[in-house]
């Protein structure tokens, strides 16, 4: 499948690398067509890897991943263009972290709204699925780095889109347990979880952890 990954940071890199390893053709998008981090990624990942602007990645992908800074994601996707994203599934991995007042960060949107909802409202013809934002980038694409059973969460308004993303998370990325939290408003919970995640990170002094729901 052709997949567009918006983002040249560690999340975009980890997800794009995993997708190429799974046999997909991946275009990494950035503000500039010749972004140096994307160029390094292309060099390291062979013929299935390419780079371009956010608009190029949007036009290329049948499936899209938003791995950009949450506070900037709406602007990024607006630059990519609604037309190029229409009818496609967009996996939103972003967190709306605000580091402007230092650590710990606050959120640029929360409680009664979320980045994923903002995106879904701005792009009604795109099927937004919130996923993967609750773990470190390395764990996202390789859950077996941690011992035992631990969990991933998804939400979104389109059942078919959530089904496809869940299939990729389980069959491709190796997640055993994926909880469907419901419609896109549940992205508030997934995004606000990152505040708890940051405090756990501080307490544990490592990003290599996750949570498991027992009942
Ligand atoms: N790091 C993790 O382990 C982790 C885990 C869970 C969720 N997340 C979330 O995943 C997302 C990506 O995280 P990351 O650490 O890989 O990278 P990041 O530094 O948060 O984001 C990098 C991307 O954001 C774009 N960007 C930054 N500022 C921008 C601006 N002013 N206007 C337009 N685009 C801008 C960059 O564009 P250019 O390519 O043009 O520079 C780049 O592609 C974030 O929302 C983060 O909160 C991260």
């Amino acid at each position: 499948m052709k997949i567009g990954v918006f983002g040249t940071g560690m999340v975009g890199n980890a997800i794009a690398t995993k997708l190429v390893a799974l046999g997909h053709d991946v275009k990494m998008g950035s503000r500039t067509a010749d972004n140096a981090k994307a160029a390094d990624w292309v060099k390291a990942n062979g013929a299935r890897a390419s780079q371009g602007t956010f608009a190029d990645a949007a036009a290329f992908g049948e499936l899209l991943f938003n791995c950009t800074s949450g506070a900037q994601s709406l602007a990024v996707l607006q630059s990519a263009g609604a037309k190029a994203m229409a009818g496609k599934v967009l996996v939103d991995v972003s967190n709306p972290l605000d580091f402007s007042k230092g650590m710990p960060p606050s959120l640029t949107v929360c409680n009664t709204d979320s980045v994923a909802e903002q995106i879904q409202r701005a792009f009604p013809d795109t099927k937004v699925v919130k996923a993967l934002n609750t773990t470190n980038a390395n764990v996202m694409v390789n859950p077996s780095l941690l011992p035992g059973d631990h969990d991933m969460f998804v939400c979104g308004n389109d059942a078919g889109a959530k089904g496809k993303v869940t299939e990729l998370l389980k069959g491709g990325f190796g997640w055993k347990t994926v909880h469907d939290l419901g419609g896109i408003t549940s992205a508030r919970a997934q995004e606000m979880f990152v505040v708890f995640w940051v405090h756990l990170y501080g307490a544990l002094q490592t990003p290599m952890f996750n949570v498991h729901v027992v009942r």
Side-chain angles (χ1 to χ4, degrees), residues 5-15 28-33 35-38 52 54 66-77 79 92-97 99 115 130-140 194 197 207:
V5 174
F6 306 129
T8 56
M10 67 181 287
V11 175
N13 190 302
I15 288 178
M28 181 179 278
S30 169
R31 280 171 286 187
T32 49
N35 178 282
K37 285 200 249 174
F54 289 126
N66 175 36
C67 310
T68 63
S69 166
Q72 307 298 334
S73 291
L74 260 188
V76 163
L77 297 176
S79 80
D92 178 30
V93 188
S94 73
N95 279 314
L97 291 170
F99 292 99
V115 182
K130 189 87 198 182
L132 294 168
N133 69 304
T134 52
T135 68
N136 164 264
N138 298 311
V139 176
M140 283 177 201
V194 76
W197 187 97

Side-chain angles (χ1 to χ4, degrees), residues 49-204:
S50 61
Q51 74 180 104
T53 61
F54 289 126
D56 294 333
F60 177 84
E62 302 159 69
L63 170 67
L64 305 170
F65 281 78
N66 175 36
C67 310
T68 63
S69 166
Q72 307 298 334
S73 291
L74 260 188
V76 163
L77 297 176
Q78 264 142 9
S79 80
K83 206 170 155 201
M85 298 201 299
K88 297 177 182 176
V89 175
L90 172 77
V91 184
D92 178 30
V93 188
S94 73
N95 279 314
L97 291 170
D98 178 0
F99 292 99
S100 63
K101 295 186 182 70
M103 283 292 279
S106 57
L107 302 177
T108 59
V109 57
C110 63
N111 293 335
T112 55
D113 203 1
S114 59
V115 182
E117 287 169 89
Q118 292 176 334
I119 295 171
Q120 187 61 85
R121 282 198 301 274
F123 302 93
D125 297 330
T126 299
K127 297 161 191 170
V128 181
V129 176
K130 189 87 198 182
L132 294 168
N133 69 304
T134 52
T135 68
N136 164 264
N138 298 311
V139 176
M140 283 177 201
V141 297
N142 193 357
S144 67
L145 287 174
L146 301 179
D149 206 5
H150 54 100
D151 303 359
M152 182 43 62
F153 306 93
V154 296
C155 73
N157 293 341
D158 188 283
K162 267 190 298 195
K164 275 186 203 152
V165 173
T166 300
E167 203 176 294
L168 177 65
L169 294 180
K170 287 187 169 178
F173 289 16
W175 285 94
K176 291 197 180 81
T177 306
V178 178
H179 299 284
D180 180 350
L181 298 185
I184 198 66
T185 55
S186 293
R188 297 169 196 176
Q190 282 168 259
E191 292 177 16
M192 287 194 282
F193 174 82
V194 76
V195 175
F196 183 62
W197 187 97
V198 166
H199 285 263
L200 267 175
Y201 178 31
L204 302 174

